[in-house]
């Protein structure tokens, strides 16, 4: 299980005069600091897929970067199976498999070499790496390009290889930041099926997406972030119930001020 409790992160603004009018009007802009994440809490249990939703600029990426240890939170806690990993990012990197939209592959290496390199960084033996790559190759349909250089990969090939690289070390939690963006229908379905395999194996998955059909297909829970705060955190059925079953309308309802007060962190388990 992964638990996120009251995460917050602010960034200093070097020259406030250069901000756009919309940036100046953002309530998170306070003095010379922009409070990108102000109070984000949610959790994802064993075998659950959590859909992380929010409009552009809501604070999702900053939240995920804190989970990946790329950013240190100003306050709050990140617990994996009860261990707070904020103070020990090395433990977090062992326990978390993270796919970011900005993480590139080494173009002169093959797909297999890219994946194996990350396995070596995690201290895996060559035998274990080879066996895991075989398993991932079947799950993610990598066979036809696994031994080609990544510099000539299509978007789908790159994404599937990046996912394999993120999970080579059998992490306790998997975090996927918009994993299907730019993929065709077949590659998207392969990725979604892979997420199901993680779910079946009992691995908690945090799945950031703008595609509500993917949320409907995969997710057990939904968390909505807006303006750096958790506006909703509950089951997919409770999310549907906000607007008579329409996920689109439920999402818009979460963002409205009228309902935010009622559904901010709608349930706390455990």
């Amino acid at each position: 299980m992964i638990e996120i409790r009251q995460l917050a992160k602010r960034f200093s603004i070097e020259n406030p005069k250069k901000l756009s009018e919309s940036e100046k009007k953002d309530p998170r802009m306070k003095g010379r600091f922009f409070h990108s994440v102000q109070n984000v809490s949610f959790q994802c249990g064993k075998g659950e897929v959590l859909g992380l939703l929010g409009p552009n600029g809501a604070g999702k990426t900053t939240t995920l970067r804190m989970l990946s240890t790329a950013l240190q939170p100003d306050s709050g806690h990140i617990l994996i199976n009860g261990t707070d990993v904020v103070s020990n990012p090395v433990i977090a990197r062992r326990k978390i498999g993270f796919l970011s939209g900005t993480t590139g592959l080494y173009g002169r290496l093959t797909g297999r070499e890219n994946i194996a390199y990350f396995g070596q960084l995690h201290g895996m033996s060559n035998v274990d790496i080879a066996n895991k790559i075989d398993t991932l190759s079947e799950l993610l349909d990598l066979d036809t390009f696994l031994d080609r250089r990544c510099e000539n990969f299509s978007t789908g090939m790159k994404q599937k290889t990046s996912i394999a690289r993120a999970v080579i070390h059998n992490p306790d939690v998997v975090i996927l930041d918009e994993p299907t963006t730019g993929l065709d229908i077949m590659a998207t379905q392969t990725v979604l099926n892979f997420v199901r395999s993680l779910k079946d194996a009992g691995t908690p998955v945090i799945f950031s997406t703008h595609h509500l059909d993917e949320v409907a297909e995969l997710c057990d829970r939904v968390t909505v972030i807006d303006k750096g705060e958790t506006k909703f955190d509950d089951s997919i059925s409770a999310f549907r119930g906000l607007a008579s079953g329409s996920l689109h309308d439920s999402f818009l309802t979460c963002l409205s001020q009228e309902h935010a007060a009622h559904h901010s962190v709608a349930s706390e388990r455990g």
Side-chain angles (χ1 to χ4, degrees):
M1 170 181 279
I2 182 168
E3 300 173 77
I4 290 83
R5 298 179 183 171
Q6 298 177 312
L7 280 190
K9 182 67 179 179
R10 70 178 187 175
F11 299 95
S12 62
I13 305 300
E14 292 184 8
N15 192 343
K17 293 182 180 179
K18 291 187 177 181
L19 296 173
S20 67
E21 285 304 312
S22 62
E23 289 172 329
K24 290 178 182 178
K25 291 178 181 177
D26 193 310
R28 291 175 289 174
M29 186 64 65
K30 300 171 184 177
R32 299 185 66 88
F33 292 95
F34 180 72
H35 296 255
S36 177
V37 173
Q38 302 186 99
N39 186 4
V40 167
S41 300
F42 58 85
Q43 61 185 28
C44 184
K46 183 176 180 180
E48 288 185 334
V49 178
L50 180 143
L52 186 63
L53 305 177
N56 290 333
K60 298 193 308 299
T61 297
T62 300
T63 297
L64 294 178
R65 290 183 68 195
M66 286 189 280
L67 300 189
S68 75
T69 73
L71 284 176
Q72 179 80 8
D74 293 330
S75 61
H77 302 278
I78 301 169
L79 296 98
I80 300 176
N81 296 329
T83 300
D84 196 331
V85 299
V86 170
S87 59
N88 195 334
V90 174
I91 293 178
R93 290 173 197 141
R94 267 194 232 119
K95 291 177 176 289
I96 294 175
F98 182 73
L99 173 75
S100 166
T102 58
T103 304
L105 299 169
Y106 297 104
R108 295 182 64 82
L109 298 182
T110 66
R112 186 185 302 275
E113 289 168 340
N114 266 280
I115 300 166
Y117 176 57
F118 271 65
Q120 291 163 2
L121 290 177
H122 283 288
M124 297 174 65
S125 70
N126 290 336
V127 172
D128 287 343
I129 289 172
N131 289 337
K132 189 59 187 284
I133 289 177
D134 286 344
T135 300
L136 292 170
S137 179
E138 183 175 348
L139 288 170
L140 287 164
D141 194 21
L142 307 177
D143 283 344
T144 58
F145 56 87
L146 189 58
D147 292 302
R148 288 165 48 188
R149 281 188 178 184
C150 293
E151 58 192 0
N152 297 317
F153 277 10
S154 68
T155 300
M157 293 174 184
K158 289 178 181 177
Q159 193 71 326
K160 290 193 282 187
T161 303
S162 295
I163 292 171
R165 186 178 66 174
V167 301
I168 183 67
H169 60 299
N170 298 309
D172 292 345
V173 177
V174 173
I175 301 169
L176 304 175
D177 188 7
E178 299 185 16
T180 62
T181 298
L183 303 189
D184 62 26
I185 293 174
M186 294 302 294
T188 294
Q189 198 56 54
T190 298
V191 171
L192 298 184
N193 288 340
F194 179 70
V195 174
R196 286 193 190 89
S197 74
L198 293 172
K199 175 183 171 69
D200 291 342
T203 304
V205 179
I206 297 173
F207 187 89
S208 173
T209 182
H210 288 291
H211 301 293
L212 293 176
D213 57 330
E214 295 175 355
V215 173
E217 189 174 338
L218 285 177
C219 295
D220 304 283
R221 294 183 62 81
V222 174
T223 297
V224 179
I225 296 175
D226 187 33
K227 294 183 172 58
E229 297 182 349
T230 302
K231 299 298 184 183
F232 181 91
D233 177 38
D234 208 333
S235 67
I236 183 70
S237 59
F239 186 63
R240 288 183 185 278
L242 294 179
S244 303
S246 167
L247 296 188
H248 179 270
D249 290 344
S250 293
F251 178 68
L252 295 178
T253 297
C254 279
L255 302 186
S256 71
Q257 290 299 317
E258 178 182 351
H259 291 274
H262 297 290
H263 296 289
S264 179
V265 193
S267 72
E268 295 183 5
R269 300 176 302 165

